[in-house]
Amino acid sequence: MTSFREYSPKFFDAMKNYSASQFAKDAVSGVIVAIIALPLSIALALASGVGPEEGIYTAIFAGFVISFLGGSTVQIAGPTAAFATIVAGIVAQKGMAGLSLATIMAGIILVIMGFLRFGNLIRFIPYTITTGFTLGIALTIVIGQLKDFFGLTFTHSPVETMEKLKECINCASTFNAQALLIGLLSLAILIIGGKLLKKVPPSLIAVIVGIVVVKAAKMDVKTIGDLYTISGGLPKPALPAFSPSLVIDLLPNAFTIAVLAAIESLLSCVVADGMAGSRHKPNAELIAQGAGNVVSALFGGIPATGAIARTAANIKNGGRTPVAGMVHSIVLVLILVVLMPYASLIPMPTIAAILFMVAYNMSGWKACFSLVKASPKSDIAVFSITLFLTVMFDLVVAIEVGIVLAALLFLMRMANVTEVKSWNNIDEHNDPDAIHLKDVPKETLVYEITGPMFFAASDKLMGLNATDGIKSVIVRMRSVPAMDITALRALRNMKNAYEAKGITLILSHVQEQPFHMMEKAGFVAELGQEHFCANIDASIEHAKIVNAK
């Protein structure tokens, strides 16, 4: 019963005590969030290298499925800035069919992650990595929008971020002052409107004002219609063509999309819980994210995840159940059918300005500044390398290298925490078990291990030497919470070396996990159960018996 509740959608929990008054609040919030989502979905789709409709499809289909099946009562899902760089890269190399396949694969991975209860494991992604690639994504979005903001004309279509920046510099002479004017006007509306307006989305006002000014003044500014063909109908579901080689080729991208979707959606859920006083189900949310991404790809959409800004807007406007997210998707369907052809009039500098604000809001520059100011040099290095690789190469490389570096640093720190000391070198102040209070036989050495015994620290066992005349060695393990097979192998080698010299190894106060591992590996039988003692006093008494033989 508990397992079923862990995976059951929050929608069904919310329906148990649902009321007409709550539906009214959810409906109003859903409409407002849809209005907010419209320009953002279009802008994020264009930043991802696809058409404006794909962004709306994503918000409609993925948004509805994730709200219906999700583990949060207030989550709003759709396209987000986190995917823009990786999606653009996939589209440039593999086309829309490759993106659809990668998204479906990512969805399947997310569903598997949910059923394997990985929802609580996402927190093990280091903060330095998430902060580094988030700032990196923000910078790539800004660089990618310089062309449209300044009205530049490129000689070719670069894919990589640094290639785009280089092309901007090379094509600086094609600068369009009218485009920059519209971009600055839109940016001013977004900044000022964000501070003054509470009910009307500033991005919607920026879009309307941009269209009116460009049309009224007959300005020479590129619009969405100049670059894309827009239709207002709903797409039909279709499976992308695939082959085993393409699946293998797209697997790293699919894993990156899945990890990003998991991190961002669960982070959004945590923020939402704090705002709404709710409690999400992380594994149900992962399954919903997976299903939503599969459906999004089948209907021509792009990767989706929980959107923190839209989720926060939902909560602030009274949305408290998944119905609000479902209404948001239905309203977007109506907008797609009725108003989508007018999207062709939106100026590209306005889209760039909207994305500048998205990048600024997601960058977390204050958190980055605090991290650099207060963190150890090793953490700063992981953050900087992840940021550098995200901007210079791509997100797949950045996450892979970042996680490997963070894991190595963690192992180094844990290895440094593990200590092996002779009792003669241990601080005896305020220790009731200090060596001067114990009657330790002269033929016995006592060592104490503090910290986990694992492969990175196993070499420290080599320091447990025994000189001539020693008949027994006590290794105290009261402060060893965990042990791995490499450390056990080192301990076995040490035991064999002692036996060759006629020395008996005695283990004191072995905790549950290490003892279970030793027992399972047959080490308890090899050493002898009698050489495992409950505490240091019992170990010393046993050593006296061993020495007397």
Side-chain angles (χ1 to χ4, degrees):
M1 191 67 177
T2 303
S3 296
F4 174 75
R5 287 178 180 174
E6 184 180 354
Y7 300 121
S8 64
K10 277 284 191 175
F11 173 80
F12 298 109
D13 295 341
M15 290 299 100
K16 292 177 181 177
N17 300 305
Y18 201 60
S19 62
S21 61
Q22 185 56 56
F23 173 75
K25 294 177 182 178
D26 288 337
V28 170
S29 180
V31 172
I32 293 173
V33 173
I35 294 171
I36 295 172
L38 176 64
L40 285 177
S41 298
I42 292 173
L44 291 168
L46 296 180
S48 301
V50 299
E53 294 155 315
E54 279 78 359
I56 305 296
Y57 297 159
T58 306
I60 291 172
F61 294 103
F64 189 93
V65 171
I66 291 171
S67 290
F68 178 63
L69 297 177
S72 170
T73 54
V74 292
Q75 181 89 286
I76 302 294
T80 64
F83 293 121
T85 303
I86 188 170
V87 168
I90 297 172
V91 171
Q93 295 175 7
K94 305 296 181 182
M96 193 63 197
L99 174 63
S100 297
L101 180 57
T103 306
I104 291 173
M105 291 165 61
I108 294 171
I109 292 170
L110 281 164
V111 171
I112 294 172
M113 289 170 65
F115 279 116
L116 291 178
R117 299 181 178 180
F118 279 12
N120 294 322
L121 298 181
I122 297 300
R123 68 180 186 273
F124 292 116
I125 302 294
Y127 176 69
T128 49
I129 293 176
T130 58
T131 307
F133 74 61
T134 300
L135 178 58
I137 291 168
L139 291 175
T140 59
I141 290 173
V142 170
I143 293 172
Q145 296 307 308
L146 293 176
K147 170 182 177 290
D148 292 327
F149 192 79
F150 290 99
L152 304 176
T153 301
F154 282 5
T155 55
H156 68 283
S157 300
V159 175
E160 300 296 333
T161 301
M162 298 314 296
E163 290 179 357
K164 291 178 181 178
L165 183 59
K166 182 179 179 181
E167 187 69 5
C168 285
I169 296 172
N170 292 338
C171 299
S173 60
T174 63
F175 159 72
N176 184 338
Q178 294 183 17
L180 177 60
L181 181 63
I182 294 299
L184 291 173
L185 175 63
S186 301
L187 198 57
I189 293 172
L190 292 167
I191 295 172
I192 297 172
K195 297 179 179 179
L196 300 179
L197 301 175
K198 302 300 180 184
K199 295 296 182 181
V200 182
S203 56
L204 184 62
I205 296 176
V207 165
I208 294 172
V209 171
I211 292 174
V212 171
V213 172
V214 169
K215 281 295 178 184
K218 297 181 180 179
M219 300 177 74
D220 180 23
V221 175
K222 294 286 186 182
T223 65
I224 291 178
D226 294 330
L227 304 177
Y228 302 93
T229 301
I230 298 178
S231 62
L234 285 171
K236 295 180 180 179
L239 278 170
F242 69 94
S243 64
S245 60
L246 184 58
V247 169
I248 295 172
D249 195 24
L250 290 172
L251 199 56
N253 290 319
F255 269 108
T256 302
I257 292 171
V259 171
L260 276 179
I263 293 172
E264 190 159 0
S265 64
L266 295 179
L267 177 61
S268 178
C269 285
V270 170
V271 173
D273 285 349
M275 294 180 66
S278 57
R279 187 174 181 180
H280 73 283
K281 300 177 182 178
N283 296 313
E285 183 64 25
L286 290 183
I287 293 171
Q289 292 289 334
N293 274 279
V294 170
V295 172
S296 175
L298 293 177
F299 282 90
I302 61 178
T305 186
I308 296 177
R310 277 158 272 175
T311 299
N314 179 38
I315 297 170
K316 290 178 181 178
N317 287 285
R320 288 297 181 274
T321 78
V323 172
M326 296 158 73
V327 169
H328 137 269
S329 297
I330 293 171
V331 172
L332 284 174
V333 172
L334 300 176
I335 293 174
L336 176 69
V337 174
V338 178
L339 299 178
M340 195 60 186
Y342 295 100
S344 62
L345 303 176
I346 301 175
M348 293 304 295
T350 299
I351 294 293
I354 291 173
L355 288 168
F356 281 170
M357 289 303 298
V358 169
Y360 174 82
N361 291 329
M362 75 171 293
S363 65
W365 63 271
K366 291 181 180 179
C368 295
F369 180 78
S370 298
L371 187 152
V372 172
K373 184 178 179 181
S375 299
K377 291 181 180 179
S378 56
D379 285 341
I380 297 173
V382 173
F383 163 77
S384 303
I385 291 172
T386 304
L387 169 61
F388 174 80
L389 293 176
T390 301
V391 176
M392 296 298 293
F393 296 96
D394 61 56
L395 203 54
V396 178
V397 174
I399 291 179
E400 290 174 348
V401 174
I403 288 178
V404 170
L405 284 176
L408 290 175
L409 287 171
F410 172 78
L411 292 176
M412 289 173 60
R413 287 170 180 168
M414 292 303 294
N416 290 333
V417 166
T418 303
E419 293 183 330
V420 179
K421 290 186 177 181
S422 166
W423 258 28
N424 292 321
N425 298 324
I426 294 176
D427 185 4
E428 299 174 355
H429 296 296
N430 300 319
D431 184 358
D433 290 331
I435 192 168
H436 71 273
L437 300 177
K438 303 293 181 182
D439 183 18
V440 180
K442 293 182 179 180
E443 301 91 347
T444 300
L445 291 178
V446 180
Y447 290 100
E448 181 158 2
I449 303 175
T450 303
M453 292 176 62
F454 68 116
F455 64 91
S458 61
D459 62 318
K460 294 187 177 182
L461 293 176
M462 296 172 63
L464 275 65
N465 297 318
T467 57
D468 294 337
I470 297 300
K471 295 182 178 180
S472 61
V473 174
I474 298 173
V475 177
R476 199 177 189 194
M477 297 179 63
R478 62 174 178 171
S479 300
V480 179
M483 179 184 216
D484 72 358
I485 194 66
T486 305
L488 179 57
R489 182 173 181 273
L491 190 63
R492 178 181 273 121
N493 291 339
M494 186 177 71
K495 178 201 71 101
N496 294 336
Y498 283 170
E499 286 181 349
K501 296 179 180 180
I503 300 171
T504 301
L505 174 64
I506 301 171
L507 299 183
S508 172
H509 201 154
V510 179
Q511 294 196 41
E512 183 178 353
Q513 191 275 341
F515 184 81
H516 177 71
M517 168 166 276
M518 293 178 189
E519 190 174 40
K520 188 176 181 180
F523 184 74
V524 173
E526 290 178 28
L527 183 61
Q529 180 73 55
E530 68 276 12
H531 298 316
F532 285 80
C533 299
N535 51 54
I536 188 62
D537 294 313
S539 300
I540 291 173
E541 292 303 316
H542 183 61
K544 291 178 180 178
I545 296 172
V546 168
N547 295 347
K549 291 181 179 179

